[in-house]
Amino acid sequence: MSPTLGRSTIQNISTQEITANPFSINLYGETASEIDDLIDSVRVHGILVALVVVADPLGWTLISGHRRLECARALGMNDVPCEVRTIPDDVSRRRAILEYNRQRRKTFSQLMREADALEQILGQEALSRRNANLRQNLPDRRNSDNRQGRTDDQIARSIGLGGKDIYRQARAIWTMALTGDSRACSGVSQLDSGTKTVHAAYKDLRRRGQFGVGFRPTPYDVWAFRHDRAFGVPHPGSIPPAIVAHALHYYTEVGDLVVDPTAGGGTTLDVCQSMGRTCLAYDLNPVRPEILTHDIRQGFPAEASGASLIFCDPPYHTMLAEKYEPGGLAHADLQEWCAFLEGLGRDAMATLKSGGYIALLLANQTEKDVPAGQGYIDHVFLGYGALQAAGFMPERRISCPMDGSYLPQHVRRARVEGRMLGQVRDLIVMRKPLEISQSSGSPPANS
Ligand SMILES: C[S@@+](CC[C@H](N)C(=O)[O-])C[C@H]1O[C@@H](n2cnc3c(N)ncnc32)[C@H](O)[C@@H]1O
């Protein structure tokens, strides 16, 4: 007999008298939505394995069998076979729930909630041992160097997550996700769905520090950077985060407000967060809760007023249109797209603080999706013209070549057909002129 689980007897108990265990619900979630695969078996065969309950003053509390109980209730069964255990204290009951669930296939979140519960239980047990030792004048081993290592190892083995090193990486991801960090939350969802390993998710998070203290920006105006999944969530139009990091470095200060009106997977949001800038991110079809729904053709929302930098990476008319939702700029024709640029210029001028910047990332459209009769569309030239017409001053045109966007077969075909493949993308940075104060004739304080 397990020392934790106590003696047991089997008896039938009314389904109405059994209460679900809040600790189990906290760990594994509500069961009502998860009984589809079990209910047919219970309908045909009845409950084959007894539920496990403990007696409480108000009835019976369930230790194991939440899904079986849900099926029994859904099928209108009055009572179910139960193994009645004597498990006196709360800590032992929680341990028992963890043990009974050990063989279940669990998501990363469930495993980490188990780990949280185990940490708490082990902490309470260590405290009791320490107090007992103190009462007997035995040495206090609280500061033993490898105690934490042993605890981590014990928890890792208990929840089946390898050894202490992987467990520590998992804990780092989990702890950051609990603070609401979007990249960590996205890592947890990928771990829950089994599409990422703990180590890969951890490496993503570590790379998030690369634009913080010690960041060495390139001093050149060619920004040939690679994509990095540590920033932004997967998105068809995602850009290398170092482009955003360099724009923030050269054109903003820590604490400044940055606005991204076509935020996509939120690369700008994540880079701003890691570089201490405040970011407002909008998109017509947001893919993350921190990105607000807004159509930039309606102008900027009022809260964006006074921004230091607008960073905009819009889709181009027809280019990659099939990857974007209908109704957005990717589906606009050239005339509508140029009208969007003109509106963006006017609205950015009204929204930016005096001396603020707009950075517009544009690629030229070459062989892909060029409308009939046209050989090439110079989006950068069009963007430059629209911003200048709105009153912006040129600041810099930075070359951001695209990394690896062609497959080998595209390159072979271009060679055979004697065509050039477009690799040109530019970040055009324009400055709103300083507003001269009418009373003093000198620039305002924030310029
Ligand atoms: C090229 S993607 C941006 C990618 C982003 N820089 C990233 O790294 O993930 C362009 C985004 O603009 C959005 N969009 C298209 N039309 C829009 C509109 N009228 N207003 C706001 N967003 C729009 C699309 O939904 C898409 O997510």
Side-chain angles (χ1 to χ4, degrees):
M1 185 186 72
S2 152
T4 331
L5 301 183
R7 293 183 175 288
S8 74
T9 55
I10 300 278
Q11 67 185 73
N12 274 359
I13 296 178
S14 158
T15 52
Q16 301 312 315
E17 288 173 21
I18 305 173
T19 314
N21 195 307
F23 177 71
S24 180
I25 301 293
N26 270 344
L27 252 49
Y28 306 113
E30 293 285 349
T31 47
S33 56
E34 292 177 15
I35 57 172
D36 293 356
D37 57 333
L38 189 62
I39 195 156
D40 286 339
S41 159
V42 174
R43 186 182 289 115
V44 176
H45 304 291
I47 303 276
L48 295 178
V49 179
L51 286 65
V52 180
V53 296
V54 288
D56 270 327
L58 297 176
W60 306 95
T61 299
L62 199 52
I63 297 292
S64 169
H66 288 76
R67 292 170 72 233
R68 277 165 283 164
L69 178 65
E70 202 65 52
C71 291
R73 283 182 177 154
L75 295 170
M77 292 164 72
N78 293 329
D79 48 41
V80 283
C82 291
E83 191 178 339
V84 179
R85 289 267 180 193
T86 311
I87 311 176
D89 61 284
D90 191 47
V91 171
S92 307
R93 285 182 186 186
R94 281 187 274 154
R95 254 201 187 288
I97 288 171
L98 295 175
E99 284 307 316
Y100 273 110
N101 276 284
R102 212 188 249 257
Q103 292 172 15
R104 241 173 85 149
R105 202 165 151 256
K106 289 162 227 160
T107 63
F108 176 79
S109 296
Q110 288 173 335
L111 290 177
M112 291 313 292
R113 283 197 287 271
E114 279 190 2
D116 287 344
L118 277 171
E119 291 233 2
Q120 215 186 9
I121 292 172
L122 292 173
Q124 282 165 355
E125 288 174 351
L127 187 67
S128 311
R129 270 198 311 276
R130 221 162 32 235
N131 289 341
N133 284 350
L134 287 175
R135 277 196 297 276
Q136 295 175 37
N137 282 335
L138 292 171
D140 180 2
R141 296 186 206 281
R142 193 175 1 185
N143 295 325
S144 158
D145 278 351
N146 55 6
R147 181 175 294 272
Q148 188 58 46
R150 281 207 305 274
T151 304
D152 289 347
D153 213 38
Q154 192 179 349
I155 297 174
R157 273 185 287 106
S158 245
I159 61 174
L161 212 59
K164 67 175 184 301
D165 294 334
I166 283 292
Y167 173 63
R168 284 173 177 170
Q169 295 181 353
R171 171 138 304 284
I173 300 163
W174 182 241
T175 307
M176 266 182 93
L178 293 180
T179 68
D181 180 277
S182 50
R183 182 70 241 170
C185 290
S186 156
V188 167
S189 330
Q190 288 168 303
L191 285 161
D192 278 345
S193 59
T195 54
K196 189 156 250 181
T197 63
V198 169
H199 186 56
Y202 178 72
K203 276 205 323 210
D204 277 0
L205 277 189
R206 287 290 302 273
R207 289 203 307 275
R208 287 285 291 281
Q210 66 186 290
F211 302 127
V213 181
F215 170 48
R216 277 174 60 96
T218 176
Y220 303 106
D221 63 0
V222 177
W223 294 356
F225 304 122
R226 290 182 175 278
H227 281 87
D228 184 342
R229 287 183 162 231
F231 296 83
V233 300
H235 190 275
S238 69
I239 55 170
I243 295 179
V244 181
H246 280 74
L248 297 187
H249 172 80
Y250 285 113
Y251 301 110
T252 66
E253 303 283 338
V254 169
D256 276 356
L257 174 62
V258 175
V259 178
D260 186 339
T262 53
T267 308
T268 309
L269 257 179
D270 291 342
V271 178
C272 280
Q273 193 192 35
S274 86
M275 292 180 72
R277 273 62 166 177
T278 304
C279 182
L280 287 173
Y282 305 97
D283 200 288
L284 194 59
N285 304 107
V287 294
R288 288 166 57 170
E290 314 98 298
I291 300 176
L292 307 172
T293 310
H294 183 73
D295 184 342
I296 189 53
R297 289 168 293 192
Q298 308 302 316
F300 285 86
E303 71 264 21
S305 237
S308 298
L309 172 71
I310 291 170
F311 186 97
C312 184
D313 167 31
Y316 321 113
H317 87 284
T318 78
M319 195 168 167
L320 297 179
E322 78 281 0
K323 295 197 175 163
Y324 290 106
E325 299 276 334
L329 289 163
H331 296 266
D333 64 24
L334 186 54
Q335 205 180 351
E336 283 172 278
W337 195 79
C338 290
F340 144 73
L341 278 182
E342 282 159 25
L344 179 74
R346 275 194 309 272
D347 298 331
M349 183 60 80
T351 290
L352 281 167
K353 74 174 190 183
S354 170
Y357 296 96
I358 178 164
L360 194 52
L361 186 65
L362 295 169
N364 292 328
Q365 192 157 342
T366 53
E367 67 290 335
K368 273 199 241 167
D369 306 323
V370 178
Q374 239 155 325
Y376 171 76
I377 307 174
D378 193 337
H379 287 141
V380 186
F381 180 80
L382 296 174
Y384 199 95
L387 294 186
Q388 215 172 23
F392 281 96
M393 306 290 293
E395 183 70 25
R396 197 83 197 202
R397 178 170 172 163
I398 301 144
S399 177
C400 307
M402 285 177 280
D403 62 326
S405 47
Y406 295 101
L407 297 171
Q409 61 265 36
H410 294 139
V411 180
R412 273 198 301 275
R413 221 178 59 211
R415 283 216 165 96
V416 170
E417 293 170 7
R419 283 183 298 106
M420 277 188 284
L421 294 167
Q423 287 278 38
V424 180
R425 174 169 57 183
D426 288 282
L427 186 69
I428 44 178
V429 184
M430 308 280 262
R431 186 167 45 83
K432 174 173 171 171
L434 295 178
E435 283 155 12
I436 306 298
S437 150
Q438 291 198 333
S439 52
S440 66
S442 55
N446 71 347
S447 60

